[in-house]
Amino acid sequence: MHLSDLLIGRRLANQEGKARKITALEGLPAMGLDGLGSSAYGPEAALTILIPLGAEGLRLVRPIMAAILVLLGVLYLSYRQTIEAYPSNGGSFTVAKENLGTNAGLLAASALMIDYVLNVAVGISAGIGALTSAIPPLHPYTLELCLVVLAVITIVNLRGTLEAGLVFSVPTYLFVASLGGVLLFGLAKAFAADGHPVPVVPPPPVSAATQTAALWLLLRAFASGCTAMTGVEAVSNGVSAFRDPAVKYAHRTLSGIVLILGFLLAAISWLCPVYGVSAMDETQPGYQSVLSQLTGAIVGRGVVYFIAIGSLLAVLCLSANTSFVDFPRLCRLVARDGYLPRAFAAPGRRLVYSVGILWLAAAAGLLLTVFGGITDRLIPLFAVGAFTAFTLSQLGMAFHWVRRQGNRVRLFINGTGAAGTGAALAVILSAKFVEGAWITVLVIPLVIAVLKAIRRHYDLIDRQLREDGSIDLRGLEPPIVLIPLERCDRLAEKAVRFALLLSHDVIAIHLTKLEGPDAEEQEGALRREWRDEVERPARSAGLTAPKLVISASPYRSFVGRLVKQVAEIEEQYPDRPLAVVIPQVVEEHWWDYLLLNNLRTRRLCTALMRHGGPNLAVIKVPWAYEPPHPEKVIVEEEPQTQQTASAAAQPV
Amino acid sequence: MHLSDLLIGRRLANQEGKARKITALEGLPAMGLDGLGSSAYGPEAALTILIPLGAEGLRLVRPIMAAILVLLGVLYLSYRQTIEAYPSNGGSFTVAKENLGTNAGLLAASALMIDYVLNVAVGISAGIGALTSAIPPLHPYTLELCLVVLAVITIVNLRGTLEAGLVFSVPTYLFVASLGGVLLFGLAKAFAADGHPVPVVPPPPVSAATQTAALWLLLRAFASGCTAMTGVEAVSNGVSAFRDPAVKYAHRTLSGIVLILGFLLAAISWLCPVYGVSAMDETQPGYQSVLSQLTGAIVGRGVVYFIAIGSLLAVLCLSANTSFVDFPRLCRLVARDGYLPRAFAAPGRRLVYSVGILWLAAAAGLLLTVFGGITDRLIPLFAVGAFTAFTLSQLGMAFHWVRRQGNRVRLFINGTGAAGTGAALAVILSAKFVEGAWITVLVIPLVIAVLKAIRRHYDLIDRQLREDGSIDLRGLEPPIVLIPLERCDRLAEKAVRFALLLSHDVIAIHLTKLEGPDAEEQEGALRREWRDEVERPARSAGLTAPKLVISASPYRSFVGRLVKQVAEIEEQYPDRPLAVVIPQVVEEHWWDYLLLNNLRTRRLCTALMRHGGPNLAVIKVPWAYEPPHPEKVIVEEEPQTQQTASAAAQPV
């Protein structure tokens, strides 16, 4: 309790929910980290494909990035419309479900879920990978560092989206200011030098061309560059996190993210040919990222370089946060439709959907652990999910406008968006299929199948639970009560007292493991005790005396034996209800879990519940022991224990 | 179930116990592995201390080993007497407790427990260490190999002591035959060559003397050599494992172990000076153990060498088995006296004390993991426990004979044993105190304190459980029944039906998380349902209608809120019993544990049990859902499910 208070914060009341909503100021870091981080790998990915073209490729990056920027612009306008049309939640799942049907919705949902998990693992490992290549002594701790970052992001998000936005705003705005400033300075220098500035630290020479430009190569470069757009959908999936008027704040956040991202992408792709910066082969020694070369060329390797590159690493690491904001909200919507366990839809102590956050952390942690913190091989799996969701969302919006008729401009925008993202998806799929995108294509239907199976199971149970009509209260008969008895003590007393409240038919069952003369002697002693201490007082209180049955357990089995007894009685009296009264010494301290033999009674309880039967009930009667020095305890311990102590002191 | 059947074997009936007892044939491997393995390190340990004396030290090993053999002889006679005097169990715990008092018994028990755990860790890691130095590619897997051996020994012992004796007899008898044969051959060659045989593979020259013999050095050599005796007490601790007449079989086993061990020790210490074999510094490259040098000198590095050394490694590895035979039996005796949880005294499915076996495996596994499978640093901790137990057992037997009077010979033997082992203990303690024996000296009282605390706790609870007199059955009153209600469905029906069996005062509590108009609307709907589907049928059945209470839970807490409600009702009606009826959908498949929200009801149940109170009972009512295709299920699945299915099908 105290630890969770410290880590996650105090429990919040429902009515505090309103004050926990965010504005654009927190929205930009909370939801934009993924999108802004894309500026680091989008242009680089495109340039990498263009390496074989040599200097020719460097010139081609501008038209390719221009196409991507056009698509980004279309997506921006489309998502603005989506947010406006679905002000409570404009996520791809909702839009696709409402306009294209449940299957399309589930397709979008599962594509996004996979993408969010991958985003966490890939983002964190990319950031830590860059950190360990900068500080090699940290390399052996790659996995540990990844898991620490994951834990920090998880805890911050369990505290709330507001906290995540505030905590992560420092690296976000630092990154925007430093890299943006460097690029502006670079642009100014380029204009001043009439397009031929002198690099401070000259980048390595562009490698010689080995191929000439072909359409397929350009398409692949476009597909790779499109990863720069992942993360743009984040705002539409998280509209419910914003303060009222949510549409306004969501619009502002989306505009902020797209504007900054657009500027960064445009500036990078314009400056690369100017400074002669091209992608380098990552597998060769001396590798430097495009942004590192470009920053070095513009401002040299001084303080500004380290601030810009350092904040870039932080943004890459924290780009996972976007998933932590959106994944739980997506799961909540899917769970509300019954396709995920209901726990995903329950707000946790801080009013965020904690179950979703924890599952996301567990899945990403598993991926990181399995891959030892180096998830390069997962990158081709990426982007398929995002572009599937883009396309479905745009297509859904297009149908939305068709159904509403009129509004041709809006239909045109979303239609163009659908066509553009659909085309990009086709290119991405065919370009990356062999490298690993086929895995995503296989996993998505699997996830859909699981979601549907969950819904079917809930439907099955719900149909039976909600069966026709009012409660049937005919034929109520007092139950036969069974008590597993070890010996005649206060524990047995509690059980017998409660049993006699219920019914006149009380049977105590004692299992004996002994055999031969020992067993007879023990049996006789127990029978005498039972007669003197139970039967006689019961009769004198005017009650039917409970029966004692002693049964041999030659295989020393306790649970199996008792369940068998219950089954026998059920067979004998098929119409009578049956109750098993299980007395139990309450564990008051952690050591009681080791010292009291309660594992057995717990297993008995579980076995009886599984055994089920329409007429069975399992009754647990707690018996609390009194601490050794009650007078001390009353002074020192909390009120709860006081009560238990004094309660146990007075005779029952 | 099936996996455990395969690994551990089918459950055995009590009456099969007799046939599971062992004779000397299985007793020697089961209990003697530790003692016989000692022959490998006892002489070597003494010789290591004598290294600084050079050739002089080699001559001194004979008198030192002679003293150790005398002590071994005394111990042998003493333990024969002990076994005879305590035919049911002559372990150090029993002997010390009966003759010297409980504290002495607990001292012996905790010393032995520590020793047994150390023996498992040190034995396995010594064996695997020798294996990996013979086959270096295995070195990186040291810990894994150790844990595999530990797992194998654990599983074999969970199957039974009989199985352990049979499985481990192969390496034991192979070791005795091969090493014994080699030594006999060496003796014969030495006699034939008039005391100056030519070694086949000459051992490295004895290092030059750097010191002269001093008493303290000789005492340290004696103390180190005494480790050759650990394991001799094993038979006396495990008498209960033997077939009737147990004393005869135990005597035979003890004689067998001591005879073989004595011969091996005598032959090794006599042959070492003859062949010029001395101990080598283990930290230097080219290190070879004394037995490896000696075997090489006698028979060369042929097949016989590899059989002898290979079986020695196996015996070292498996010497852990002695602990697995004795530790659970010791724990059982201690548990029967209430100093350990009762589970230690319960025979498992194979009639061995499985809990003790598992705890021993866990403790040794922890030590191995913490030390990465290299437990050299634990060796000085060793032997202190064994010699403490030796001394207490001998002292106890001496007191036994004093009390019985007469029998001076027996008193003399046990007295000499006590004096000898006591003196050895003193030497061991002072010689090894700084190296680590102080840890054992610190841990033993800690273990005793824990054992006593456990006993105190049991006494505390037992005193209260067994308090005076017969069961109090006055003032039985029907309870107030509480039902946590989510909605009006079949689950609620089961709960309400059972509640109405119990009492007329039934209150259903619905917690609402909503606020404002939503809450009012939901509340109204629930009240209508309750009126139509519960109250009306209850009244028409002539019963008091259950009440519905709707309570707001502004912090979305379910368990805490309900416990608070229970506490309020308890305060209002302090004398009425109180029952909480918790309906629960039964998990019929593993996925139900994920999909049904039963974690919450389980937590509620636990919280109510902890809340306790003298008048509380927790009633769980299972509700089983019907599988989707009952006609299929009845054909295909096991009878248990059939019953549940058809039971759930008919209206309750």
Side-chain angles (χ1 to χ4, degrees), chain B residues 206-273:
Chain B
V206 178
S207 54
T210 57
Q211 288 178 23
T212 52
L215 183 64
W216 179 233
L217 193 81
L218 298 184
L219 282 176
R220 276 176 57 213
F222 171 78
S224 293
C226 274
T227 50
M229 270 184 288
T230 56
V232 170
E233 84 292 352
V235 179
S236 72
N237 286 324
V239 184
S240 62
F242 287 101
R243 198 170 290 179
D244 276 332
V247 171
K248 191 183 95 184
Y249 286 115
H251 273 174
R252 274 197 198 163
T253 308
L254 181 64
S255 305
I257 294 171
V258 170
L259 259 176
I260 297 172
L261 176 61
F263 165 72
L264 294 179
L265 291 178
I268 292 167
S269 56
W270 197 84
L271 284 173
C272 276

Side-chain angles (χ1 to χ4, degrees), chain B residues 398-482:
Chain B
F399 272 74
H400 176 81
W401 301 126
V402 167
R403 215 173 297 160
R404 295 248 183 142
Q405 284 158 9
N407 250 322
R408 297 225 170 159
V409 181
R410 301 190 159 215
L411 171 59
F412 176 75
I413 291 175
N414 282 127
T416 316
T421 50
L425 176 62
V427 173
I428 291 171
L429 261 181
S430 45
K432 298 189 170 180
F433 193 80
V434 188
E435 289 169 60
W438 61 271
I439 299 177
T440 316
V441 174
L442 273 185
V443 173
I444 287 179
L446 218 82
V447 174
I448 295 179
V450 169
L451 296 179
K452 288 194 154 190
I454 290 173
R455 169 68 186 258
R456 241 189 339 267
H457 195 63
Y458 279 132
D459 281 351
L460 168 79
I461 294 177
D462 236 50
R463 220 171 20 244
Q464 296 177 33
L465 271 177
R466 311 226 72 173
E467 249 170 23
D468 57 320
S470 56
I471 290 183
D472 183 3
L473 291 174
R474 290 164 299 173
L476 286 181
E477 222 181 332
I480 299 173
V481 184
L482 240 63

Side-chain angles (χ1 to χ4, degrees), chain B residues 110-189:
Chain B
S110 55
L112 271 180
M113 282 178 194
I114 294 167
D115 218 52
Y116 284 143
V117 173
L118 287 173
N119 180 42
V120 173
V122 171
I124 292 178
S125 82
I128 293 297
L131 177 71
T132 55
S133 67
I135 312 171
L138 289 179
H139 200 267
Y141 306 103
T142 301
L143 177 60
E144 284 83 353
L145 287 169
C146 285
L147 294 179
V148 166
V149 171
L150 179 63
V152 169
I153 298 179
T154 306
I155 288 169
V156 169
N157 275 283
L158 283 174
R159 292 187 74 97
T161 305
L162 181 63
E163 278 80 358
L166 289 173
V167 169
F168 299 140
S169 61
V170 178
T172 310
Y173 290 119
L174 188 66
F175 165 75
V176 171
S178 59
L179 189 65
V182 167
L183 292 174
L184 277 177
F185 186 60
L187 289 172
K189 272 173 78 176

Side-chain angles (χ1 to χ4, degrees), chain A residues 393-413:
Chain A
S393 156
Q394 298 307 317
L395 206 62
M397 285 307 292
F399 272 74
H400 177 81
W401 302 127
V402 168
R403 213 172 301 158
R404 295 246 183 144
Q405 286 158 6
N407 248 324
R408 297 220 169 166
V409 181
R410 301 190 160 216
L411 170 59
F412 177 74
I413 292 176

